[in-house]
Amino acid sequence: MSAWRVRRPGPMSSRPLEHVTAEVPQPAPGELLVAVRACGVCRTDLHVAEGDLPVHRHEVIPGHEVVAEVIQIGPGVGTENAAATTADGEFAVGDRVGIAWLRHTCGTCKYCRSGNENLCPESRYTGWDADGGYAEFATVPAAYAHHLPQGYSDTELAPLLCAGIIGYRALLRAELPPGGRLGIYGFGGSAHLTAQVALAQGAEVHVMTRGEKAKELALALGAASVQGAVDRPPVPLDSAILFAPVGDLVLPAMEALDRGGTLAVAGIHLSDIPPMNYQRHLFQERQLRSVASNTRADAREFLAFAGTHRLEVTSPEYPLGKADQALADLSAGRISGAAVLVV
């Protein structure tokens, strides 16, 4: 099969990805073998390729926003032609299925037992600990595969599987009150979906971003205001989400919060945060919170929301053979929305 592997993590200018011919994987017990139809290009893939995240699997195939077709059900979940029963329902050969970032948790630790499986110390991730969707075929543990909402194309669905899910988790962590004012810092793949969820819930959304195309997209989707990345929004914010992996933006975001406001940092990687001034940035019970992956319950809730609220997904397409170009364009800020590899 055709696939991309991270041979030498480093800047995209050093060409860390290599296009290879690999063996089609075989499903282990409890897994599904799928034929990849589309795979989103996530900033986390960029962090894996460039070495911002430590290597978990040598020469890993990145990609964790995978829309695929089930072609084989592995041992332990039924025969090839039988349905596989999972926490998300049943899967059968021929079904369209989604593969997301979270791939494994232990199920027995205090975090798993309390509904916080995203904090499981034994958690494993697609495209980091195991090969992902920058390939023609992939495997996924059946218990971590997702049913997908109707009414979307494969390329529209792909970004929902991480950009959408993690944005939904970040919105929960930001504790936006009903009808509140939400600030969004950075306006890429995840942010443009999260803004639509917040707007559908009755929020007033203010966007801070540097790209002109991103500003245009934010206004088109219904943002109340759009300004530069470090500019102050026109009103105090009840909540904010930082999507850009830039620690310098934490300070203006915290300063823009109203009393009791919360900033959620959505990324898995963030550059260093400069020193804070207690009075300007934290006093009056402002909160700074991180976001660590998501639970399967988050994914099911968000995908159900997408099934009842039509989201406009901006997803420029690249053929699988140009995955390196897609990541380079993401790194350079040339992508508006969420790019998708088409197989």
PDB file of all heavy atoms in Angstrom, residues 169-181:
ATOM      1  N   ARG A 169     -14.303  19.515  23.206  1.00  0.00           N
ATOM      2  CA  ARG A 169     -13.753  19.326  24.551  1.00  0.00           C
ATOM      3  C   ARG A 169     -13.250  20.657  25.116  1.00  0.00           C
ATOM      4  O   ARG A 169     -13.471  20.975  26.292  1.00  0.00           O
ATOM      5  CB  ARG A 169     -12.609  18.309  24.495  1.00  0.00           C
ATOM      6  CG  ARG A 169     -11.874  18.097  25.815  1.00  0.00           C
ATOM      7  CD  ARG A 169     -12.642  17.224  26.750  1.00  0.00           C
ATOM      8  NE  ARG A 169     -11.977  17.035  28.027  1.00  0.00           N
ATOM      9  CZ  ARG A 169     -12.435  16.256  29.002  1.00  0.00           C
ATOM     10  NH1 ARG A 169     -13.558  15.568  28.832  1.00  0.00           N
ATOM     11  NH2 ARG A 169     -11.790  16.144  30.137  1.00  0.00           N
ATOM     12  N   ALA A 170     -12.572  21.436  24.280  1.00  0.00           N
ATOM     13  CA  ALA A 170     -12.058  22.729  24.734  1.00  0.00           C
ATOM     14  C   ALA A 170     -13.195  23.667  25.115  1.00  0.00           C
ATOM     15  O   ALA A 170     -13.091  24.427  26.094  1.00  0.00           O
ATOM     16  CB  ALA A 170     -11.195  23.361  23.648  1.00  0.00           C
ATOM     17  N   LEU A 171     -14.295  23.622  24.373  1.00  0.00           N
ATOM     18  CA  LEU A 171     -15.447  24.458  24.685  1.00  0.00           C
ATOM     19  C   LEU A 171     -16.038  24.066  26.041  1.00  0.00           C
ATOM     20  O   LEU A 171     -16.429  24.927  26.837  1.00  0.00           O
ATOM     21  CB  LEU A 171     -16.489  24.327  23.576  1.00  0.00           C
ATOM     22  CG  LEU A 171     -17.688  25.266  23.623  1.00  0.00           C
ATOM     23  CD1 LEU A 171     -17.249  26.734  23.608  1.00  0.00           C
ATOM     24  CD2 LEU A 171     -18.620  24.985  22.451  1.00  0.00           C
ATOM     25  N   LEU A 172     -16.082  22.767  26.326  1.00  0.00           N
ATOM     26  CA  LEU A 172     -16.543  22.320  27.643  1.00  0.00           C
ATOM     27  C   LEU A 172     -15.613  22.823  28.740  1.00  0.00           C
ATOM     28  O   LEU A 172     -16.062  23.290  29.796  1.00  0.00           O
ATOM     29  CB  LEU A 172     -16.620  20.792  27.681  1.00  0.00           C
ATOM     30  CG  LEU A 172     -17.641  20.110  26.766  1.00  0.00           C
ATOM     31  CD1 LEU A 172     -17.519  18.590  26.888  1.00  0.00           C
ATOM     32  CD2 LEU A 172     -19.058  20.554  27.087  1.00  0.00           C
ATOM     33  N   ARG A 173     -14.303  22.728  28.492  1.00  0.00           N
ATOM     34  CA  ARG A 173     -13.328  23.158  29.501  1.00  0.00           C
ATOM     35  C   ARG A 173     -13.367  24.675  29.727  1.00  0.00           C
ATOM     36  O   ARG A 173     -13.021  25.146  30.809  1.00  0.00           O
ATOM     37  CB  ARG A 173     -11.923  22.744  29.061  1.00  0.00           C
ATOM     38  CG  ARG A 173     -11.680  21.234  29.048  1.00  0.00           C
ATOM     39  CD  ARG A 173     -11.475  20.695  30.437  1.00  0.00           C
ATOM     40  NE  ARG A 173     -10.186  21.120  30.992  1.00  0.00           N
ATOM     41  CZ  ARG A 173      -9.874  21.029  32.279  1.00  0.00           C
ATOM     42  NH1 ARG A 173     -10.747  20.552  33.147  1.00  0.00           N
ATOM     43  NH2 ARG A 173      -8.681  21.416  32.707  1.00  0.00           N
ATOM     44  N   ALA A 174     -13.774  25.419  28.708  1.00  0.00           N
ATOM     45  CA  ALA A 174     -13.824  26.876  28.826  1.00  0.00           C
ATOM     46  C   ALA A 174     -15.018  27.347  29.656  1.00  0.00           C
ATOM     47  O   ALA A 174     -15.074  28.523  30.036  1.00  0.00           O
ATOM     48  CB  ALA A 174     -13.877  27.520  27.444  1.00  0.00           C
ATOM     49  N   GLU A 175     -15.957  26.470  29.939  1.00  0.00           N
ATOM     50  CA  GLU A 175     -17.108  26.771  30.794  1.00  0.00           C
ATOM     51  C   GLU A 175     -17.831  28.045  30.348  1.00  0.00           C
ATOM     52  O   GLU A 175     -18.103  28.949  31.146  1.00  0.00           O
ATOM     53  CB  GLU A 175     -16.687  26.880  32.261  1.00  0.00           C
ATOM     54  CG  GLU A 175     -16.182  25.563  32.835  1.00  0.00           C
ATOM     55  CD  GLU A 175     -15.905  25.630  34.334  1.00  0.00           C
ATOM     56  OE1 GLU A 175     -15.737  26.754  34.867  1.00  0.00           O
ATOM     57  OE2 GLU A 175     -15.860  24.565  34.960  1.00  0.00           O
ATOM     58  N   LEU A 176     -18.169  28.104  29.076  1.00  0.00           N
ATOM     59  CA  LEU A 176     -18.885  29.257  28.536  1.00  0.00           C
ATOM     60  C   LEU A 176     -20.310  29.277  29.086  1.00  0.00           C
ATOM     61  O   LEU A 176     -21.054  28.314  28.925  1.00  0.00           O
ATOM     62  CB  LEU A 176     -18.907  29.180  27.010  1.00  0.00           C
ATOM     63  CG  LEU A 176     -19.631  30.311  26.283  1.00  0.00           C
ATOM     64  CD1 LEU A 176     -18.869  31.628  26.479  1.00  0.00           C
ATOM     65  CD2 LEU A 176     -19.774  29.994  24.800  1.00  0.00           C
ATOM     66  N   PRO A 177     -20.719  30.363  29.735  1.00  0.00           N
ATOM     67  CA  PRO A 177     -22.094  30.417  30.242  1.00  0.00           C
ATOM     68  C   PRO A 177     -23.091  30.571  29.099  1.00  0.00           C
ATOM     69  O   PRO A 177     -22.726  31.014  28.001  1.00  0.00           O
ATOM     70  CB  PRO A 177     -22.080  31.656  31.142  1.00  0.00           C
ATOM     71  CG  PRO A 177     -20.996  32.520  30.598  1.00  0.00           C
ATOM     72  CD  PRO A 177     -19.950  31.572  30.082  1.00  0.00           C
ATOM     73  N   PRO A 178     -24.352  30.207  29.307  1.00  0.00           N
ATOM     74  CA  PRO A 178     -25.368  30.362  28.249  1.00  0.00           C
ATOM     75  C   PRO A 178     -25.422  31.799  27.748  1.00  0.00           C
ATOM     76  O   PRO A 178     -25.493  32.746  28.536  1.00  0.00           O
ATOM     77  CB  PRO A 178     -26.668  29.960  28.961  1.00  0.00           C
ATOM     78  CG  PRO A 178     -26.236  29.052  30.063  1.00  0.00           C
ATOM     79  CD  PRO A 178     -24.914  29.584  30.524  1.00  0.00           C
ATOM     80  N   GLY A 179     -25.357  31.955  26.417  1.00  0.00           N
ATOM     81  CA  GLY A 179     -25.400  33.279  25.817  1.00  0.00           C
ATOM     82  C   GLY A 179     -24.168  34.119  26.060  1.00  0.00           C
ATOM     83  O   GLY A 179     -24.180  35.336  25.825  1.00  0.00           O
ATOM     84  N   GLY A 180     -23.088  33.481  26.498  1.00  0.00           N
ATOM     85  CA  GLY A 180     -21.879  34.210  26.865  1.00  0.00           C
ATOM     86  C   GLY A 180     -21.046  34.663  25.683  1.00  0.00           C
ATOM     87  O   GLY A 180     -21.314  34.323  24.517  1.00  0.00           O
ATOM     88  N   ARG A 181     -19.989  35.418  26.007  1.00  0.00           N
ATOM     89  CA  ARG A 181     -19.059  35.936  24.999  1.00  0.00           C
ATOM     90  C   ARG A 181     -17.817  35.066  24.980  1.00  0.00           C
ATOM     91  O   ARG A 181     -17.108  34.951  25.985  1.00  0.00           O
ATOM     92  CB  ARG A 181     -18.685  37.378  25.329  1.00  0.00           C
ATOM     93  CG  ARG A 181     -19.859  38.356  25.247  1.00  0.00           C
ATOM     94  CD  ARG A 181     -19.524  39.669  25.921  1.00  0.00           C
ATOM     95  NE  ARG A 181     -20.522  40.702  25.641  1.00  0.00           N
ATOM     96  CZ  ARG A 181     -20.582  41.872  26.260  1.00  0.00           C
ATOM     97  NH1 ARG A 181     -19.686  42.159  27.210  1.00  0.00           N
ATOM     98  NH2 ARG A 181     -21.511  42.759  25.951  1.00  0.00           N
TER      99      ARG A 181
END
